[in-house]
Amino acid sequence: MHPDRLVERLSAVVGPAHVLTAPEVRASYETDFTGRYTGRSRLVVRPGDTAEVAAAVRACHDLGVPLVPQGGNTGLVGGSVPGPDGDEVVLSLRRLTSVGPVDHGAQQVTAGAGTTLADLQRYVRSQSWEFGVDLASRDSATLGGMLATNAGGERVVRYGTTRANVAGLEAVLPDGSVMDRLAGLPKDNAGYDLTGLLVGSEGTLAVITRARLRLVPRLPHRVTALLALDSLEAAVALLVTLRRLESLELAEFFTADGLRLVMEKTGLPAPFRTPHPVLVLVECAGRHDTAGELAEAVEHPSVREVAVALRDADRHRLAAYRERHTEAVNAAGVPVKLDVTVPLADLAGFVGDLPGLLAGRARPYVFGHLAEGNVHVNLLDVPVREEEAVTEAVLRRVSQAGGSISAEHGVGRAKARYLHLTRSPTEVAAMRAVKSALDPGKLLSPGTLLGSCPPSPTPDR
């Protein structure tokens, strides 16, 4: 195929200004947020609505050109960037930013895949609603990427992952046809749950263009507390008490090492005069004052010190100690990021085993979502020759515990070869069958999720 043929077809769809071919212009679309995953695209196309997405996908399908859907490019596993061969088109969805009126009766709103989480939050909050999912990367993460990876974030303990907050989708299938499931019906059992299937599929089955999102009432009373503890075992024990709070929205953890790095790289002052091994960030929200309820809970004997905030500015200040971890780690180097889930009973054991697993080959920083046993393992100073061995050692330990190698950021390209550690041969075969049925040409997100997974893996569970 003459390269100009694809350019001509796509230019006719989106206009020449939105077909990016110059290497220096494509560059920002070819490297992900971590700086670790970089590829080379044939070109970048930027459609402005669903019809243009469908036409662009159809053009690539007709010419046999693989493509990679991309939102805010804040992914951590290489799933949002092209491979190294230069034969893939990056399909940027950042222009799909339309947001419809809030349906107050249904408690829903329809928004485009390119809408950032922060923009959606501002819009629905102005009408006394909230979207239940929240992320530290809210200013750059787009809904399309959140849907594709089934993002979790900070408020899963109360509202669930992204999938639980989606009432319907509009998506373009690999042949360019459009699936419209935006009615948002609370009861609709006619056949397979295609919306649920596409959420978390990492762009391998369809290109999500719009979503019908569930909203929750904006709660007027909030209180945030930072708790100092002696160990992760104590934090897990405290969680039992915290879960009894009807108002609990958030329970995050980090360690003294991570706090020191955050203070060093951001200039934040120490939250307490005395250092403590483990810190837990808690937030409660309700229709009535929740401060008393939280105060009673944090009288737990394992809590050594407490900092409490009621005003928004003070709450954001406390939250920054947890939310700025990613920024601080990235400022210290290019990390190997391993987002995993382990059973809560094994959380402290898993973190305690990391130094032995790493055997001096990396400098670990861990933080995450306490209530879900979701640990963000960030490894700095890993020699290139050791990256695969270190990754495998950590992920095998997760598998042996009955955990998951991917908690909320997807499998992407980075973990595709390890999928068999957390999914059985039967499950992988079923996934491949679904992929083949919807995308027989294997044109959507090649290399992501199933691309490097052995067809017949040996179980290691």
Side-chain angles (χ1 to χ4, degrees):
M1 181 189 66
H2 193 281
D4 287 345
R5 186 177 173 194
L6 178 61
V7 172
E8 289 172 1
R9 283 198 60 172
L10 293 177
S11 295
V13 171
V14 303
H18 295 295
V19 179
L20 313 180
T21 58
E24 64 274 14
V25 180
R26 300 190 325 251
S28 65
Y29 297 86
E30 296 173 337
T31 299
D32 77 345
F33 171 77
T34 68
R36 179 167 292 276
Y37 303 103
T38 297
R40 189 165 59 90
S41 66
R42 180 178 300 210
L43 57 84
V44 178
V45 60
R46 293 165 39 90
D49 58 28
T50 300
E52 290 187 359
V53 173
V57 171
R58 191 176 305 115
C60 290
H61 176 269
D62 292 347
L63 298 172
V65 177
L67 57 85
V68 180
Q70 185 183 99
N73 203 15
T74 59
L76 304 179
V77 290
S80 60
V81 293
D85 298 332
D87 59 353
E88 298 167 17
V89 167
V90 172
L91 180 71
S92 173
L93 303 170
R94 295 182 194 175
R95 295 177 63 211
L96 276 64
T97 56
S98 64
V99 180
V102 171
D103 184 335
H104 295 276
Q107 296 187 201
Q108 296 175 358
V109 68
T110 299
T115 307
T116 65
L117 175 59
D119 284 344
L120 176 72
Q121 289 174 334
R122 279 189 286 268
Y123 177 70
V124 299
R125 284 172 181 170
S126 70
Q127 301 186 53
S128 300
W129 296 100
E130 286 274 8
F131 182 50
V133 183
D134 193 22
L135 315 171
S137 59
R138 60 186 68 85
D139 290 314
S140 51
T142 62
L143 293 176
M146 293 171 60
L147 293 158
T149 58
N150 187 29
E154 302 171 345
R155 304 186 189 278
V156 171
V157 65
R158 186 164 191 171
Y159 299 114
T161 62
T162 297
R163 183 180 283 116
N165 292 274
V166 176
L169 291 179
E170 175 188 78
V172 175
L173 300 180
D175 62 357
S177 56
V178 178
M179 183 189 83
D180 184 344
R181 301 293 306 151
L182 291 174
L185 300 176
K187 291 185 176 181
D188 183 1
N189 292 328
Y192 302 125
D193 179 7
L194 298 178
T195 292
L197 175 65
L198 295 187
V199 176
S201 63
E202 299 189 55
T204 62
L205 302 179
V207 180
I208 296 171
T209 50
R210 288 193 294 167
R212 185 79 168 174
L213 305 172
R214 297 187 174 98
L215 302 176
V216 295
R218 182 158 173 72
L219 300 172
H221 296 278
R222 289 184 176 274
V223 58
T224 303
L226 185 62
L227 316 178
L229 300 99
D230 289 335
S231 66
L232 269 176
E233 289 92 344
V236 172
L238 173 64
L239 181 63
V240 175
T241 299
L242 294 175
R243 281 190 184 278
R244 298 193 182 111
L245 305 180
E246 292 183 3
S247 59
L248 181 66
E249 276 207 351
L250 178 152
E252 304 283 290
F253 78 91
F254 52 99
T255 68
D257 288 343
L259 177 59
R260 279 193 295 269
L261 187 65
V262 167
M263 291 190 297
E264 174 191 335
K265 298 300 181 182
T266 68
L268 288 174
F272 302 111
R273 291 183 179 178
T274 305
H276 297 275
V278 173
L279 298 106
V280 174
L281 182 73
V282 178
E283 186 165 296
C284 292
R287 296 184 183 279
H288 307 286
D289 185 12
T290 59
E293 183 183 32
L294 179 58
E296 184 177 341
V298 301
E299 289 178 0
H300 195 277
S302 64
V303 177
R304 300 303 180 216
E305 288 194 75
V306 181
V308 178
L310 297 174
R311 297 186 305 174
D312 284 351
D314 295 331
R315 290 193 305 99
H316 294 324
R317 236 185 322 269
L318 282 186
Y321 289 108
R322 161 62 182 87
E323 291 196 343
R324 299 189 71 177
H325 266 66
T326 297
E327 171 192 340
V329 169
N330 287 355
V334 179
V336 173
K337 287 181 171 286
L338 301 174
D339 163 50
V340 300
T341 299
V342 293
L344 269 175
D346 191 40
L347 177 62
F350 169 73
V351 172
D353 285 350
L354 281 177
L357 293 172
L358 299 174
R361 296 172 292 182
R363 182 160 49 109
Y365 292 94
V366 299
F367 55 91
H369 313 298
L370 179 64
E372 295 83 54
N374 179 183
V375 187
H376 296 305
V377 180
N378 291 256
L379 306 177
L380 288 171
D381 305 332
V382 183
V384 173
R385 67 182 181 278
E386 297 283 0
E387 286 182 9
E388 186 172 341
V390 164
T391 297
E392 184 165 351
V394 174
L395 297 185
R396 283 190 178 278
R397 172 65 175 82
V398 170
S399 175
Q400 290 161 4
S404 173
I405 67 166
S406 174
E408 58 182 4
H409 291 136
V411 170
R413 297 175 184 267
K415 297 180 182 177
R417 73 184 68 181
Y418 305 110
L419 183 61
H420 66 283
L421 294 177
T422 200
R423 290 291 181 263
S424 70
T426 300
E427 291 171 308
V428 172
M431 291 182 195
R432 289 190 181 279
V434 173
K435 170 71 170 174
S436 295
L438 292 180
D439 185 19
K442 297 180 172 57
L443 297 179
L444 281 187
S445 296
T448 294
L449 183 58
L450 294 168
S452 302
C453 182
S456 301
T458 301
D460 188 6
R461 302 185 68 176

